[in-house]
Amino acid sequence: MPPSSAPLTQKPEWQALLQQKSQLVNVAMRDLFHTDPQRADRYLITGAGLSLDFSRNRLTDETLSALTNLATACGLPQRISDLFTGATVNLTENRPALHTALRQPADSSVLVDGRDIIPEIHATQARMEQLDRDIQIGTQTGHTGRAFTDIVSIGIGGSFLGPKLAVEALKPYWQSNLKCHFVANIDGTDIAETLKPLNPETTLFLVQSKSFRTQETLDNSLVAREWFLTNGGNENAIASHFMAVTANTDEAVRFGIHPDNIFPMWDWVGGRYSLWSAIGLPIALMVGMDNFRALLAGAHAMDCHFKEAPAEQNLPVVMALLSIWYNNFWGAQSHAVLPYDEYLKHLPEHLQQLDMESNGKKVTQRGIPVDYETGPILWGGVGANGQHAYYQLIHQGTRLVPADFVIPLTSHNQVAEHHAALFANCLSQARAMMAGKTEAEAAQELVDSGLDEASTAALARHKAIPGNKPSNILLMDKVTPETLGALVALYEHRTFVQSVIWDVDCFDQWGVELGKQMGNEILPRLIDNGEVGSAGDSATDNLVSLFRSANRR
Ligand code: F6P
């Protein structure tokens, strides 16, 4: 079936989904399970070491076909091919998005402007490996010859969230006593508290910035540099303690980083897709290059699954279509990601940038305003803790919050029966969301506990839980470099598939620019001592005055 040129909401496939919604609106998921004993088996699919149980969703086989028909009508197969082959998928910035090339094997090839980019990717990995080895065996040390004990990675957004997620998630694989710290925030507290316990002689700074123009990163790096110089370092020693990963070598050199200490980034890697590049150096240095390569291999396995698996068996495609289903047909405004694994605690933060910076868009690729909702608000946190906080709203609030539960079958830490308890919590929450509890069931429980009739009638209404709340359970054997790589790549492709349906550019982020520009106009008004003109509106001017008096300017 060729893609249709009709606007999204006028495509027959969209209309078919509206029909599906009206057929399912009064259908309870618990009844779908009763009438279809094969449902759980049919809606459990696997790929790249991950399994997706999507049986607890408001859909039937017909709905699934209608969703995949929509994907085909939006040209998904061609767009997947475009993504992998280096076509210009980022139209507003006129470039490809080739994060998938970063995890391809050395004997493959991907052409950008007629040049194969795979050799330089692997040459960079070889440099990362060399650095890792030299630090481990002690041939690369601080300027006084002492081995490095601490790495400080300075970067923000994609130059921070992905590496931080992976470093923390792969803690069982840390290879030595080396510690890794991340500084992102322009709030001086971040760098000040990070530097406090560190010894400049044994600290290595990685300045991580694709553009080398990001205020937070540059200001924090200047503070780090000054701290190093005033605590026993000197200009010559900077080369031993400061490295950079950037696509803007000239600026990095101007900043004072030695050219030999600069690892490349490329135009065709988006910030939020960059943990697979040398931006992943903190990961490689913490877990070793073999494990970093295993992370890449896991992501590559997911890339192959995404390219090859039929739509209805394809994890990223199914997850993206389910998200479209609730976002566009059931009015869901947000999506929760709930990892049931302490090591994955930073997953929601990384996915928040990935998804919201990618799909928070209001015009189509050709600049036409959309007449449908695009990216939902993605949020979440580690399960179990959330159960005692925001799950109440998920179960009984008025909003629909579809959720992804992410859980490994086995734990790195066999502590009593904790993992079984954790797993039970995850399953019970998914089941409670799906099945709920009717008012009659709640009343019966109260009667059984001996409550009188009047109190039962009053309380049952509060205890009833509507259920019919959709969720996915994503499973892996254990959190390993391979499964983590596959997991992150899965969400990357899920994000891409959604953008294809919504016809938005998921690789640009113009929305973040205005705030940066205005920040540059406001800052001098806060720090100059003399007369300052208006920043443009009285509300801003009032608070500028308040700040100036609080800081005596
Ligand atoms: O402000 C958003 C952003 O542009 C992200 O897309 C990016 O990951 C981050 O800033 C950091 O950018 P850079 O790596 O160029 O410092």
Side-chain angles (χ1 to χ4, degrees), residues 156-159 209-211 214 271-272 353 357 509 512 516:
I156 198 164
S159 301
S209 178
K210 178 180 174 184
S211 61
T214 305
R272 50 196 175 274
Q353 188 207 19
E357 198 166 70
Q509 59 282 318
V512 299
K516 288 187 197 172

Side-chain angles (χ1 to χ4, degrees), residues 58 128 169 207 241 247 307 347 360 456 486 525:
R58 301 185 73 167
M128 291 166 72
V207 184
H241 290 265
K307 271 194 295 189
L347 182 68
T456 293
R525 295 179 162 80

Side-chain angles (χ1 to χ4, degrees), residues 117-259:
I117 58 171
I118 296 295
E120 49 185 317
I121 291 170
H122 283 264
T124 303
Q125 287 173 12
R127 281 187 63 201
M128 291 166 72
E129 181 159 31
Q130 184 70 48
L131 177 65
D132 172 40
R133 196 178 314 128
D134 290 348
I135 289 179
Q136 288 303 318
I137 61 175
T139 49
Q140 175 112 19
T141 63
H143 70 293
T144 59
R146 290 182 61 187
F148 287 118
T149 55
D150 295 86
I151 302 163
V152 179
S153 172
I154 305 178
I156 198 164
S159 301
F160 159 59
L161 294 162
K164 186 174 174 200
L165 157 66
V167 165
E168 289 297 329
L170 300 179
K171 201 167 186 173
Y173 299 85
W174 289 3
Q175 57 180 347
S176 61
N177 291 330
L178 205 57
K179 289 193 204 71
C180 186
H181 315 263
F182 290 92
V183 174
N185 200 337
I186 188 67
D187 181 341
T189 302
D190 198 2
I191 184 96
E193 286 295 343
T194 302
L195 294 179
K196 256 183 208 169
L198 300 185
N199 179 350
E201 273 184 77
T202 58
T203 300
L204 175 65
F205 292 95
L206 301 177
V207 184
Q208 308 247 71
S209 178
K210 178 180 174 184
S211 61
F212 224 86
R213 293 221 161 81
T214 305
Q215 184 204 25
E216 293 88 339
T217 302
L218 296 186
D219 286 358
N220 278 324
S221 300
L222 283 172
V223 171
R225 193 176 190 279
E226 201 49 37
W227 173 84
F228 177 73
L229 292 175
T230 52
N231 286 282
N234 58 64
E235 288 289 345
N236 290 335
I238 294 244
S240 306
H241 290 265
F242 283 80
M243 299 190 170
V245 182
T246 186
N248 190 351
T249 308
D250 291 349
E251 274 305 316
V253 170
R254 213 163 294 140
F255 178 89
I257 311 274
H258 193 282

